[in-house]
Amino acid sequence: MAQNPDVDIQQYEFHLSVTDTNNEIKGKAVIDFDFVNTTDVLQLDFVAVDAKGKGMKVDSVVQEHNKLKFAQDKETLSIYTSSDAQVAVYYHGIPKDGLIISKNIYGNRTFFGDNWPNRAHHWLPVIDHPTDKAKVSFYVTVPKKYEVIATGTLQEIFESGSTKKYLYKSPVELSTKVMVIGVAQFAVEDLGTVANVPLTSWVYPENEKAGFYDYAIAEPILNFFTQHISEFPFTKLANVQSTTRYGGMENAGNIFYSEKSVDGKRSYEFIIAHEIAHQWFGDSASEIDWPQLWLSEGFATYFTNLYAEYAYGKEKLDERLQKERAEVIAFSKYAKTPIIDSSRTELIELLNPNSYQKGGWVLHMLRRKVGDAIFWKAIKKYYQTYAYSNATSHDLQAVFEEVSGTDLELFFKQWLTQYGEPKLKLDYTYKNKKATITIHQLQQSNFEFPLQLRITYANKDAEVIEVQVTKKEQVFEVEVPETPTTIVLDPNTNLLFEKG
Ligand SMILES: [Zn+2]
């Protein structure tokens, strides 16, 4: 739901038990919170039992030894209290979504949290908005044969009879979209401490050999990001094979990848890089609201490209950028929306090339505009300022303006709030050692940008010049030694544009 203006959650302590008998879970959520405004109701996001019997039934709510009155409707739990002393919510039910209880590719039973964007409230009573961050601990009781991975650091495993109880605790505040548990039979590899972070791989026992090989690629990725952004935000990094509906889901400190992520060929290298990049951008420094999702996905997309450039060179960067540019152009043919898009009612629709590829391209153009040294300095500053918190695109702009000393108002405005991208056509004439080059912007709204041109001559000599395009149709006179054979737009893959 939307932000709840009355409440600020401080801490969740979830006690959950799952069994092999049926798909019902039993839960107790102990919640520390503050009322920010005077109110007599604590309203949480929580899905009630539907006509098919799926959803959560609240059995009781207790505050300071008193049972409180409460009401459940479709997606809300209203607890009637004017005190912000700790409450405990006791509940049970079969999750309709959010905690996926199913069989994996090998026919074995598994339980995986899959909360993005606001599906945590299918199995946890929470405030399901990315701005209400809270500390979290998970006490998870499972049949003995399973292992449990969860957000935070493993504190203890209690054994009793046929069950085990795991306790994980996160010392830092998180959005509900990235707090999860995973319960399955796993083979676990300890890769030791990498860049000060305990690094582990969790795969299905059938995939042990291939999976340990595939997930070990996390080591150089983690090193690269840690060196370029900051210390890793969380107390551990576990890469986990799971049943997530996504290719990968960037849960904080324990990333869940799809079952297909393991093939012994490291095919998921760049997806692993994407999800690891999210630990800083998305999980720690999060978007303030869903329409600003590019602050998660655009960053994860571009930081994957930065890793690709570091690991495989500039050709790899250009190859990825060109592919992503084509995806942005194709998308803009039918979705006439800008990156910051408040028009979507289905949040899943925001998982589109505007948030990912175009967002990544904005960061690439920003890097080219301010230069590498200032880019990295501003990225570090932005991260440090908004770590464990939330940011807007305007916050990002302000940091880049401060660090670069450049006015970036137009840059951010046109790329984030204007639909589409430049569609460019070039023509030229030659006379008396002068080329007269005309750049036509064929799209509807005007863009301003630096544009590189590669001018090639009959003897195969070439030079690259840069011009500032500010108008829909603009003429540049360039001194040249002879008549050019070709003039190529954007030879270094620096501009998001379509050839007209
Ligand atoms: Zn992502």
Side-chain angles (χ1 to χ4, degrees), residues 248-250 271 274-275 278 281 296-298 300-301 351 356:
M249 177 56 218
E250 65 268 22
I271 292 176
H274 177 105
E275 306 308 338
H278 266 311
F281 302 109
S296 282
E297 298 304 348
T301 301
L351 299 180
Y356 286 72

Side-chain angles (χ1 to χ4, degrees), residues 63-82:
Q63 185 177 47
E64 295 181 312
H65 307 293
N66 297 315
K67 284 198 169 184
L68 297 179
K69 282 194 176 157
F70 62 89
Q72 277 190 277
D73 70 13
K74 223 170 148 218
E75 301 219 18
T76 310
L77 167 62
S78 301
I79 299 169
Y80 300 105
T81 179
S82 53

Side-chain angles (χ1 to χ4, degrees), residues 378-397:
I379 286 292
K380 283 193 171 99
K381 173 114 200 250
Y382 167 73
Y383 178 69
Q384 281 158 12
T385 310
Y386 296 99
Y388 309 111
S389 181
N390 300 82
T392 64
S393 303
H394 196 81
D395 294 328
L396 178 71
Q397 179 186 335

